[in-house]
Amino acid sequence: MNNRVKDIIIWDRLFDPKQTIGIEIEMEGQNLSFNNSIYWKYTHDGSLRGTPESIEYLLKEPIQKREVSRVLKLLKDLMLIKRKPPARFTPSDRCGVHIHINIQYFTEENLIKFMCTYLAVENLLLRYCGEARQGNLFCLRAIDANTLISKLIEYRQDGDLLKLTSRALDIKYAAMNLGAIREHGSLEFRALKTPNNIEKINEWVKLLCCVRDQSITFSSLEDIVETVSRYGADQFVRMIFQRHTNTLINVIGPDIEDDILEGIRIIQDIAYAKPLQQNKQEGINLPDY
Amino acid sequence: MKKYNGFFDLDHVRMYLNNSIIMIENEPCVINEVNSDGEWDYILHYSRIGIAGIREIEVTNTSVSFIPIKLGLVNILYRGKNKTFIMRRRPNRMWKIGLNTANMVCTNIVNPGLKLWMHRNILFSRELYKTVQGDFPTVEKILDENTLKNTESIAFNREFLIHKYNRKLLLWYFNYSVPVGKIKRNKPQLSNEFLFLKEKLEGILNEQ
């Protein structure tokens, strides 16, 4: 578990450790294409069918967290001010924003802590993203499609990261897409609906970065579960989101306890899963009492 | 609940819903066909699982839910014996809102080698209906001799099952591939290693 992910999985390219954020924005509207941008490119996305146009904006390279706000503003200015005629953004419920967080330099231990801390607060984050994203088939929560949990338990037992991240299409439509680890060296978060004002994406990135940054402060997966038992759901959420807690609470309201407890029950099964015994006897291993 | 506003046209609704299971009026239902009423809405033709008869409802009706149905352990009579399978949904790249053979996984934890090849039959079965609705036998009923006689394994909740192994009765939890306890004095008892499941198990037993 102390191996770095980059030593286990080989990608075409290792990014600079500071380049941590990738962004994809699905957009519908009018006059959506552009000629030239240092940071952005676009592709036509077959899964969208907006009229008259639909497009996906992608960052050419991952950027630093502190650049996100500026780079989103650059795209907005490019499309709405510099472009003639200006673009008209009318994203429907079909359009989503996918945030990639680079995990190439993570240790396996920190990677699973990041995933589990996210799962602990996933219900809250999906509520932040809006009612239409809860149970949405393009970003299913772990409670909606729980093969993700069984895969993480298996990983905890056999430690095989390559197996966990294989069969990318089978896990692609989870709100946290593990398939992107193998494909891009990142964890992909698919839950946010494309907002009318794309600068709002910055708030979502900040929330996800809080989860990443706080996850590595836990000493173990068990510590995440025990922190909630010790301090309660409210304090746990404040520990995770720090000064951005109000960004979340202002949208979802103060009623968070049930969602956190549900999340913790999920990761409890992962946290306490023991590695498989090396010399498993034939038949069923009866537990000790 | 907010409705799904992402449908483009009739073909799109059919692709997302036909032959899959969603909740309608708090019951798991199979969507057999979708039609348009010509102007404003799409009409779902559906049947309740295990009950004959086709009904109709507008896709925008508030009792139509697109939240994935609750899955877990399913008790099935398989070759004359009660066996328990786990059904889970996969978040795979497949354009179905409801549960369908392509986005579900069906396995047996007690006997992982036992594959169930009749996914489709289970998908539209009364047994799955019982799991979705949380309709399980109580521990007391399971431990009745008549039930145990024809049983290999049987679930008393979406997450816990009792497994008859030689002369022992073992307790299994759906997320783990080893027994988590046993039945002692007619009560499920967790082994020390799995005591963290105590609160969950007690909650389930109290509800029975």
Side-chain angles (χ1 to χ4, degrees):
Chain A
M1 281 284 173
N2 286 326
N3 294 328
R4 285 187 189 272
V5 178
K6 73 180 176 65
D7 297 328
I8 301 166
I9 299 175
I10 297 167
W11 303 275
D12 292 342
R13 202 177 145 191
L14 269 179
F15 294 103
D16 184 305
K18 288 180 185 162
Q19 293 178 281
T20 52
I21 308 292
I23 304 176
E24 304 169 16
I25 306 170
E26 295 170 341
M27 185 58 82
E28 291 172 342
Q30 217 168 350
N31 308 321
L32 298 180
S33 58
F34 55 82
N35 283 333
N36 200 13
S37 164
I38 301 169
Y39 290 99
W40 295 94
K41 60 183 179 180
Y42 65 87
T43 62
H44 291 280
D45 189 325
S47 69
L48 302 171
R49 281 192 248 171
T51 49
E53 273 182 77
S54 48
I55 226 167
E56 186 171 25
Y57 299 118
L58 308 157
L59 278 178
K60 288 178 180 173
E61 295 268 315
I63 55 175
Q64 295 184 37
K65 181 180 146 192
R66 61 184 170 83
E67 292 178 296
V68 171
S69 169
R70 184 172 61 85
V71 169
L72 286 168
K73 188 168 185 322
L74 278 176
L75 178 65
K76 190 178 165 186
D77 290 349
L78 176 68
M79 300 309 299
L80 301 181
I81 297 171
K82 290 185 185 160
R83 192 187 191 287
K84 301 289 180 221
R88 200 163 65 86
F89 292 150
T90 49
S92 70
D93 277 0
R94 288 181 294 268
C95 299
V97 174
H98 306 158
I99 303 297
H100 290 257
I101 295 187
N102 189 338
I103 49 81
Q104 290 177 319
Y105 296 89
F106 273 49
T107 61
E108 283 187 273
E109 178 75 25
N110 283 345
L111 175 62
I112 196 162
K113 281 194 287 189
F114 180 19
M115 293 190 281
C116 285
T117 308
Y118 166 81
L119 289 175
V121 293
E122 184 178 57
N123 290 342
L124 298 187
L125 290 173
L126 269 279
R127 273 170 60 194
Y128 172 84
C129 293
E131 271 181 301
R133 310 304 282 180
Q134 294 171 53
N136 185 302
L137 84 154
F138 295 108
C139 53
L140 290 164
R141 296 168 294 184
I143 51 164
D144 297 322
N146 71 358
T147 49
L148 185 72
I149 306 302
S150 50
K151 274 175 95 70
L152 285 171
I153 289 172
E154 229 176 274
Y155 170 58
R156 189 91 166 121
Q157 291 173 328
D158 64 19
D160 189 343
L161 185 64
L162 291 173
K163 194 166 105 192
L164 175 72
T165 54
S166 65
R167 298 179 65 90
L169 292 182
D170 276 359
I171 46 179
K172 186 176 173 66
Y173 281 0
M176 175 178 66
N177 172 20
L178 307 189
I181 295 176
R182 190 87 159 247
E183 218 172 323
H184 304 292
S186 61
L187 263 182
E188 182 189 15
F189 298 91
R190 302 171 54 87
L192 187 69
K193 173 188 174 302
T194 304
N196 287 322
N197 178 0
I198 53 179
E199 283 185 83
K200 284 202 162 181
I201 295 168
N202 190 33
E203 285 178 5
W204 176 239
V205 173
K206 281 181 186 164
L207 291 175
L208 292 173
C209 287
C210 286
V211 177
R212 176 197 62 186
D213 297 343
Q214 293 309 309
S215 68
I216 54 176
T217 65
F218 293 110
S219 60
S220 62
L221 296 188
E222 291 89 330
D223 189 27
I224 304 172
V225 179
E226 283 152 19
T227 301
V228 176
S229 308
R230 210 175 304 137
Y231 300 108
D234 191 62
Q235 192 58 30
F236 177 73
V237 168
R238 289 186 187 282
M239 282 167 76
I240 299 295
F241 296 105
Q242 305 267 314
R243 64 194 168 90
H244 300 292
T245 306
N246 286 344
T247 308
L248 184 71
I249 299 295
N250 288 345
V251 175
I252 65 173
D255 191 9
I256 55 172
E257 182 149 350
D258 289 349
D259 282 326
I260 289 293
L261 292 182
E262 188 169 35
I264 288 297
R265 272 195 285 269
I266 285 177
I267 65 164
Q268 176 179 266
D269 292 353
I270 304 167
Y272 294 107
K274 294 279 184 293
L276 290 177
Q277 290 171 13
Q278 292 298 314
N279 303 313
K280 200 175 178 182
Q281 294 163 0
E282 264 187 41
I284 292 169
N285 281 350
L286 296 176
D288 301 322
Y289 295 93
Chain B
M1 187 189 66
K2 189 167 163 43
K3 306 313 292 180
Y4 185 75
N5 294 324
F7 295 127
F8 311 120
D9 53 30
L10 182 59
D11 285 342
H12 193 228
V13 191
R14 284 178 172 155
M15 181 175 80
Y16 272 37
L17 293 176
N18 271 6
N19 273 318
S20 70
I21 299 177
I22 61 171
M23 295 297 275
I24 299 176
E25 292 168 344
N26 297 321
E27 296 264 341
C29 297
V30 186
I31 306 299
N32 301 301
E33 180 54 298
V34 185
N35 279 325
S36 169
D37 72 352
E39 276 187 47
W40 302 106
D41 213 343
Y42 300 109
I43 309 294
L44 305 179
H45 300 262
Y46 70 97
S47 46
R48 288 187 173 172
I49 291 182
I51 297 174
I54 306 278
R55 297 157 182 242
E56 291 182 1
I57 194 166
E58 298 86 16
V59 79
T60 49
N61 190 304
T62 49
S63 56
V64 176
S65 167
F66 293 136
I67 301 278
I69 61 173
K70 282 186 179 174
L71 298 173
L73 296 169
V74 185
N75 289 324
I76 294 167
L77 193 64
Y78 184 76
R79 295 181 181 166
K81 280 209 158 191
N82 287 318
K83 291 181 197 275
T84 313
F85 288 81
I86 316 172
M87 282 185 66
R88 299 177 195 271
R89 179 161 175 162
R90 282 192 308 199
N92 59 345
R93 194 164 189 263
M94 216 271 300
W95 293 270
K96 278 280 180 234
I97 287 177
L99 187 72
N100 179 272
T101 46
N103 62 19
M104 62 176 252
V105 184
C106 189
T107 50
N108 185 303
I109 44 170
V110 171
N111 182 2
L114 178 63
K115 300 283 181 198
L116 197 60
W117 298 110
M118 23 181 229
H119 278 192
R120 193 181 162 79
N121 292 351
I122 285 205
L123 188 64
F124 303 139
S125 69
R126 202 66 192 159
E127 284 82 358
L128 177 68
Y129 174 90
K130 287 182 179 172
T131 291
V132 175
Q133 298 295 55
D135 179 8
F136 289 91
T138 59
V139 172
E140 194 183 348
K141 171 96 194 306
I142 291 172
L143 297 180
D144 177 86
E145 264 185 38
N146 288 329
T147 311
L148 274 182
K149 202 161 57 183
N150 294 321
T151 293
E152 180 193 279
S153 58
I154 187 162
F156 56 91
N157 166 266
R158 288 197 188 95
E159 297 174 346
F160 286 95
L161 67 85
I162 293 171
H163 172 211
K164 200 165 83 176
Y165 180 68
N166 295 333
R167 287 181 179 178
K168 295 186 176 74
L169 290 175
L170 304 176
L171 180 69
W172 291 68
Y173 178 64
F174 80 129
N175 266 339
Y176 294 138
S177 55
V178 292
V180 297
K182 64 181 177 183
I183 303 295
K184 194 176 175 187
R185 295 191 198 103
N186 283 348
K187 286 210 167 147
Q189 187 189 10
L190 291 162
S191 64
N192 296 336
E193 200 182 339
F194 295 99
L195 276 179
F196 64 90
L197 294 170
K198 190 177 170 192
E199 199 180 321
K200 193 181 263 191
L201 179 63
E202 281 178 353
I204 291 161
L205 295 175
N206 288 340
E207 275 178 23
Q208 293 190 339

